[in-house]
Amino acid sequence: MINVEYIEGSQEVLYLIQPLWERLKDYHRNKSKYFADTYANKRFQDRINELTDNSKVGMKVNLVKDKDTGQYIGYCISTINKEMIGEIDSLYVEKEYRKQGIGSQLMERALEWLDKNKVKSKIIAVGDGNENVIDFYSHYGFHIRKIVLGQVSNA
């Protein structure tokens, strides 16, 4: 059994997730059939700016730390926008720690926070090539509502 600690925060802990976010970005870049360049060109500061812009009225960051190694091994970022729509913006668990309930704990904590803040609805976006996570999210009541297509740049 792994010995983990869950840490809660907001904008003040965002920079702690950078190495994990970079690995998630690389994962999406490698999985994406059509938008690998979008992931390749995305910088962490750009993502921070998106998460902290004026359209957000709330943010929760849940971090997971392996207490034995001292390493951060997962995170989940949830936000609430001005329309009171809650979003699971980003969720990642290091590969060697998956299938041990950490992702489920992160989801439960995020959903609890969104419920506590009485959001009108909750959403999650799944990038192309990462459709295998849809089954995981369906356990929490998330199902495909619509599919948004984006045109691939010819540049």
Side-chain angles (χ1 to χ4, degrees):
M1 185 82 178
I2 58 169
N3 188 15
V4 297
E5 169 185 15
Y6 291 87
I7 301 159
E8 295 182 356
S10 189
Q11 292 182 24
E12 76 279 359
V13 297
L14 276 175
Y15 288 95
L16 296 174
I17 69 160
Q18 184 169 0
L20 298 169
W21 181 87
E22 297 285 350
R23 286 193 278 285
L24 177 60
K25 179 185 87 156
D26 290 342
Y27 172 84
H28 282 296
R29 182 178 48 80
N30 291 326
K31 290 287 214 174
S32 180
K33 190 172 182 179
Y34 301 105
F35 299 98
D37 288 347
T38 302
Y39 292 109
N41 296 326
K42 188 80 157 191
R43 296 176 318 126
F44 184 67
Q45 188 58 53
D46 297 333
R47 187 63 175 131
I48 295 293
N49 293 344
E50 291 170 0
L51 290 166
T52 59
D53 71 12
N54 290 337
S55 70
K56 307 292 189 291
V57 296
M59 174 190 297
K60 171 89 167 242
V61 179
N62 286 293
L63 282 158
V64 186
K65 185 179 198 177
D66 182 324
K67 290 172 81 173
D68 295 329
T69 67
Q71 298 294 310
Y72 292 107
I73 60 166
Y75 74 91
C76 181
I77 300 172
S78 308
T79 59
I80 302 170
N81 70 18
K82 289 179 180 177
E83 290 78 37
M84 292 306 290
I85 297 171
E87 181 169 3
I88 308 296
D89 285 272
S90 187
L91 188 145
Y92 178 78
V93 176
E94 292 279 28
K95 188 173 185 171
E96 59 271 23
Y97 291 91
R98 294 179 191 157
K99 306 285 186 202
Q100 299 183 52
I102 294 169
S104 295
Q105 272 293 310
L106 288 169
M107 275 297 291
E108 289 168 15
R109 289 166 185 262
L111 293 171
E112 181 181 302
W113 178 75
L114 293 173
D115 288 341
K116 180 179 149 194
N117 283 277
K118 298 182 178 13
V119 297
K120 293 178 185 173
S121 63
K122 300 171 197 142
I123 60 172
I124 297 174
V126 174
D128 96 286
N130 197 31
E131 294 85 357
N132 61 313
V133 300
I134 292 172
D135 287 341
F136 172 77
Y137 292 132
S138 72
H139 291 290
Y140 299 95
F142 290 90
H143 301 283
I144 296 171
R145 189 171 110 206
K146 63 182 174 180
I147 298 174
V148 178
L149 304 178
Q151 186 178 34
V152 178
S153 173
N154 293 329

